[in-house]
């Protein structure tokens, strides 16, 4: 939580049209409509996973249309790993896991640039393992089970 009010940026770093063009380029989509479809599906899926201040701060970084897609979703009680996120996205959109992974990577890579490193780090710490690669970042966290094993005293 914050002791001081967070600054509200007057304008996101890019317009929704610019965001669509970036996603279209990242995903090598043939049309802007296909890029918009990927943006809405991926942001909707992310909106079901992300909670807390990170969700609010991410929405402030996005163009209004994208922020509305993210925040219109009610967060799920079940937090999915990165691979679970891709499988859920695939089942909800009726595409293969490979296409869902491609869409997630294209959209989340653009989000990584919009958020900046500090917010991106907070988002990745809020989400279960496996999301860093979807955002185009190295996965530097060790799985929770492995961390527990490292802390346990040797017998």
């Amino acid at each position: 939580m914050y002791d001081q009010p967070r600054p509200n940026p007057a304008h996101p770093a890019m317009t929704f049209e610019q965001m669509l063009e970036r996603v279209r380029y990242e995903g090598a989509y043939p049309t802007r409509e296909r890029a918009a479809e990927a943006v809405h599906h991926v942001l909707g899926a992310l909106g079901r996973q992300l909670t807390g201040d990170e969700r609010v701060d991410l929405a402030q970084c996005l163009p209004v249309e994208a922020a509305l897609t993210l925040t219109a979703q009610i967060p799920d009680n079940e937090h999915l790993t990165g691979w679970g996120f891709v499988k859920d996205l695939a089942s909800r959109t009726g595409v293969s896991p490979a296409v869902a992974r491609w869409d997630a990577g294209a959209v989340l890579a653009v989000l990584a640039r919009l958020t900046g490193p500090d917010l991106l780090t907070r988002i990745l710490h809020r989400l279960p393992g496996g999301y860093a690669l979807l955002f185009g970042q190295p996965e530097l966290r060790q799985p929770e089970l492995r961390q527990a094993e490292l802390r346990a005293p040797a017998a």
Side-chain angles (χ1 to χ4, degrees):
M1 304 302 162
Y2 293 99
D3 294 329
Q4 300 175 357
R6 287 174 272 174
N8 291 325
H11 301 286
M14 64 176 67
T15 67
F16 188 64
E17 295 302 316
Q18 291 169 327
M19 182 180 180
L20 290 181
E21 281 305 312
R22 274 265 179 75
V23 170
R24 183 177 177 193
Y25 178 80
E26 285 289 328
Y29 296 117
T31 64
R32 182 177 288 199
E33 290 75 24
R34 178 62 185 96
E37 184 179 293
V39 166
H40 289 296
H41 289 308
V42 172
L43 286 179
L46 186 60
R48 289 187 292 276
Q49 294 300 307
L50 192 59
T51 60
D53 290 337
E54 290 75 19
R55 177 183 170 106
V56 173
D57 293 346
L58 174 58
Q60 288 183 335
C61 292
L62 298 175
V64 172
E65 300 89 333
L68 290 173
T69 300
L70 176 82
T71 58
Q73 302 301 313
I74 297 170
D76 287 341
N77 290 334
E78 178 186 359
H79 296 285
L80 302 173
T81 63
W83 175 236
F85 176 84
V86 169
K87 291 191 303 188
D88 181 64
L89 182 60
S91 71
R92 288 177 186 263
T93 58
V95 299
S96 71
V99 171
R101 169 61 180 94
W102 185 268
D103 290 348
V107 174
L108 297 179
V110 173
L111 257 62
R113 287 190 213 109
L114 282 171
T115 62
D118 294 337
L119 179 55
L120 181 58
T121 299
R122 289 180 31 226
I123 290 170
L124 291 175
H125 279 98
R126 168 74 66 176
L127 296 169
Y131 282 86
L133 294 174
L134 297 175
F135 279 93
Q137 304 295 308
E139 183 74 51
L140 299 176
R141 283 190 342 192
Q142 294 183 350
E144 302 301 322
L145 178 61
R146 182 70 180 130
Q147 288 179 358
E149 289 172 3
L150 291 174
R151 282 183 256 151

